[in-house]
Amino acid sequence: MDYQAFFRGALDDLRDQGNYRVFADLERHCGNFPNATARGEHRGEVTIWCSNDYLGMGQHPEVLAAMHEALDRAGAGAGGTRNISGTTHDHVLLERELADLHGKEDALLFTSGYVSNWAALGTLASRIPDCVVLSDALNHASMIEGIRHSKAERMIWKHNDLEDLEAKLASLPLERPKLIAFESVYSMDGDIAPIKEICDLADRYNAMTYLDEVHAVGLYGPRGGGIAEREGLMDRLTVIEGTLGKAFGVVGGYIAASAELCDFVRSFASGFIFTTALPPAVAAGAAASIRHLKNSDAEREAQQANVAEVRTRLDALGIPHVENPSHIIPVMVGDPVKCKYISDILLRDHGVYIQPINYPTVPKGTERLRITPSPVHSQADIDHLVAALGDLWTQCQLARMPMAAQ
């Protein structure tokens, strides 16, 4: 077999389909997010409109100061796995902050949100005898991989469909162990799960619940605990999983749950046991970000105002976007080649960076630009974004919504 020819052919197929991914080479400006310098093919100053640093906390002075202090105090790396010298006091303090954020007895830190889902779901589903996992159809790849890795029986229920979930629960013996895995805010469409109703079904059918809040922590609830905190439901969930790499602005993932469950995962999850711990400076920065957002609504309120403003302006131009109750604005293109073309022209001619979202991240025919307004986008930034999208919608002869005629 000609291995290199095989690799080239597979990559050429991706290019032909419009699904080949090109990384934007960006240099973020410390203290000046969302501005950055683009390197590579499209050089110049750009405004980032698709970052998962939803609140700009990756540039917040308190976060940076905490990381500088920890770096000077503890050095660069953790020095090992959590079991072998890698549990620094900064890790311990961060896990306490996370447990407190979600009203749980304990929390367990992982190197990323992906790893926390893969390791926690994989461990729970494989180690609990005869466990069956009921997984929402639009769950993130990390959840899917964790469930697959467990080799437990799994049932896929229709996205946010309570009737389908109940039918599947009812088909199982009441005494059989069950784990319902779902997200609060779904990252591509921005819709929100009916958490209370899912918890009601879990209680009725003797199931555990595993809620992924990665696109909600920091952003919702009076202290940033997510949708479950906003709706007063954190105590009803068996496991709450989150990330430090989005609204908290750093990197890492975690679960929050009972002391026994966290200790169980800590003791049996290979994805936790056999990997080097996050650097102490990262843990310190994440803890500072969480503490700040527990006590400040300013960032959340400003973000929500900018999200509403962008939606209103898009409506006025008839730019099609998915209506949802979250901070994520999916602008629908519906063609992979056009989606990438629009993204390239926005970057090259307008200094606006929005990554195209194509298959397999979203189904074919639903290609989109995923816009995430932050509290640090200015009115001038919004004006420029909307004007650029309006020009490109005309240039590409893309369909507009009826409101454009009003």
Side-chain angles (χ1 to χ4, degrees):
M1 181 178 184
D2 186 337
Y3 298 110
Q4 303 310 313
F6 169 77
F7 299 145
R8 282 193 300 272
L11 293 171
D12 287 342
D13 287 344
L14 279 180
R15 293 186 181 93
D16 292 342
Q17 297 162 13
N19 292 325
Y20 181 76
R21 302 177 188 218
V22 178
F23 292 164
D25 184 352
L26 302 174
E27 183 179 330
R28 283 159 60 105
H29 298 166
C30 185
N32 197 28
F33 180 78
N35 298 313
T37 300
R39 306 294 183 182
E41 181 182 356
H42 301 306
R43 292 177 174 269
E45 300 307 300
V46 301
T47 303
I48 301 172
W49 275 99
C50 58
S51 175
N52 283 341
D53 186 358
Y54 292 131
L55 299 177
M57 293 302 293
Q59 305 286 330
H60 196 281
E62 291 179 24
V63 175
L64 299 183
M67 295 186 75
H68 280 295
E69 187 279 330
L71 185 64
D72 292 338
R73 168 174 47 81
T81 66
R82 289 291 299 275
N83 188 51
I84 304 177
S85 82
T87 296
T88 72
H89 192 53
D90 290 295
H91 295 88
V92 174
L93 294 177
L94 174 55
E95 287 174 338
R96 289 177 186 169
E97 288 286 351
L98 291 166
D100 174 76
L101 176 66
H102 295 292
K104 296 297 186 184
E105 291 179 341
D106 206 353
L108 190 65
L109 182 63
F110 294 85
T111 51
S112 73
Y114 190 105
V115 173
S116 59
N117 269 335
W118 177 83
L121 278 169
T123 300
L124 291 169
S126 65
R127 290 275 177 173
I128 297 172
D130 200 28
C131 183
V132 58
V133 182
L134 297 102
S135 177
D136 185 284
L138 292 189
N139 276 343
H140 189 267
S142 58
M143 302 177 78
I144 295 168
E145 286 301 316
I147 296 164
R148 284 176 178 165
H149 177 71
S150 75
K151 296 183 172 59
E153 181 183 347
R154 59 187 181 271
M155 292 182 168
I156 312 301
W157 50 286
K158 296 174 185 176
H159 176 56
N160 280 350
D161 188 324
L162 295 168
E163 289 185 5
D164 189 49
L165 174 58
E166 181 164 20
K168 287 179 168 55
L169 286 166
S171 72
L172 298 166
L174 187 64
E175 67 277 7
R176 185 175 180 188
K178 310 168 196 69
L179 177 61
I180 304 171
F182 62 108
E183 302 181 36
S184 58
V185 177
Y186 286 84
S187 63
M188 289 299 114
D189 289 334
D191 55 339
I192 293 176
I195 301 174
K196 177 184 179 300
E197 292 77 6
I198 293 171
C199 289
D200 289 344
L201 290 175
D203 291 344
R204 189 177 309 156
Y205 291 97
N206 191 32
M208 298 182 296
T209 49
Y210 183 105
L211 176 64
D212 178 317
E213 288 253 45
V214 297
H215 292 279
V217 290
L219 299 167
Y220 301 93
R223 299 199 310 157
I227 300 294
E229 185 196 25
R230 185 187 73 179
E231 299 180 5
L233 298 168
M234 293 192 298
D235 62 309
R236 299 191 62 190
L237 293 150
T238 312
V239 181
I240 297 174
E241 185 267 348
T243 184
L244 306 170
K246 293 183 171 62
F248 293 129
V250 193
V251 67
Y254 64 89
I255 60 169
S258 68
E260 290 85 359
L261 190 149
C262 288
D263 199 15
F264 180 86
V265 174
R266 180 189 72 87
S267 300
F268 290 107
S270 64
F272 176 85
I273 295 169
F274 297 107
T275 192
T276 300
L278 289 169
V282 169
S289 182
I290 294 164
R291 284 193 296 269
H292 177 85
L293 290 173
K294 283 179 178 177
N295 296 293
S296 174
D297 278 331
E299 291 81 7
R300 288 186 280 273
E301 291 172 356
Q303 187 213 29
Q304 289 162 12
N306 276 350
V307 169
E309 172 74 6
V310 172
R311 287 189 190 280
T312 299
R313 298 286 295 279
L314 293 176
D315 284 340
L317 288 178
I319 304 295
H321 61 96
V322 175
E323 292 290 342
N324 63 54
S326 77
H327 59 284
I328 295 166
I329 305 177
V331 171
M332 304 307 290
V333 178
D335 178 273
V337 176
K338 287 183 179 179
C339 196
K340 185 178 185 309
Y341 173 79
I342 291 172
S343 175
D344 289 344
I345 299 303
L346 282 171
L347 184 62
R348 187 191 73 191
D349 296 347
H350 299 276
V352 169
Y353 171 56
I354 310 174
Q355 185 71 13
I357 306 295
N358 291 345
Y359 179 83
T361 305
V362 294
K364 292 178 180 179
T366 68
E367 292 80 11
R368 66 197 66 185
L369 302 173
R370 180 180 175 275
I371 297 175
T372 54
S374 78
V376 292
H377 283 100
S378 67
Q379 186 63 51
D381 292 333
I382 294 173
D383 292 343
H384 184 66
L385 167 72
V386 173
L389 286 172
D391 288 346
L392 276 168
W393 241 252
T394 299
Q395 179 182 331
C396 296
Q397 298 182 320
L398 292 169
R400 295 183 186 247
M401 302 300 289
M403 284 190 69
Q406 296 181 0

